[in-house]
Amino acid sequence: MPPTTAATARNSGVHMAVAFVAMGSWAAFANLAHPMPRPLIAGLVQGTLSALITLFLKRMIEALSARLPGSAGYWVPPLVAIAASLSLLSSIHWLAGTPEILRTIIVPLSVTAIYATTYNLALRRAARHL
């Protein structure tokens, strides 16, 4: 029997694969004005970071959302996710020599904010209905 849509949506591997392809592609595009292999390296770095960060953030959001009571459970997990992503993305791209760091991380960071907020809200709503 094929997995349900809900089961697929909770699958960490699916989250990671989508993050790798989407954000790695964006990073390569954001650095196209620079000679090869810079765009390729930026794409591979960002894709890998996005996949790993997505796994970490998904689990961190699940843990914090379940443990934090009241309104803190709504705003702390997304803020921690955004701060962690900003720190990791900017420092690792700097170390990797990515030429367009701000252009490279602005989309993944925006997606992190949206992802963390909506995923956390979904978890909180689901917990209320248990």
Side-chain angles (χ1 to χ4, degrees):
M1 177 183 328
T4 66
T5 303
T8 301
R10 286 189 297 267
N11 185 305
S12 296
V14 170
H15 285 243
M16 293 173 70
V18 169
F20 181 88
V21 171
M23 295 303 110
S25 297
W26 165 255
F29 175 76
N31 288 277
L32 272 180
H34 298 275
M36 283 296 179
R38 286 287 162 217
L40 182 59
I41 292 169
L44 291 173
V45 167
Q46 183 60 53
T48 302
L49 285 172
S50 289
L52 295 173
I53 287 172
T54 298
L55 177 63
F56 167 75
L57 292 182
K58 180 180 180 290
R59 291 182 178 170
M60 182 272 305
I61 291 166
E62 291 167 349
L64 286 176
S65 186
R67 288 177 178 84
L68 292 171
S71 65
Y74 284 96
W75 59 269
V76 170
L79 285 179
V80 170
I82 294 164
S85 291
L86 176 61
S87 175
L88 286 169
L89 292 174
S90 58
S91 60
I92 294 182
H93 275 292
W94 181 76
L95 289 171
T98 299
E100 301 288 342
I101 293 175
L102 183 58
R103 287 185 64 197
T104 300
I105 69 171
I106 195 68
V107 170
L109 196 58
S110 298
V111 170
T112 294
I114 294 166
Y115 171 84
T117 302
T118 56
Y119 188 56
N120 187 54
L121 287 174
L123 291 172
R124 302 289 291 188
R125 285 184 187 146
R128 277 196 326 227
H129 291 112
L130 290 180

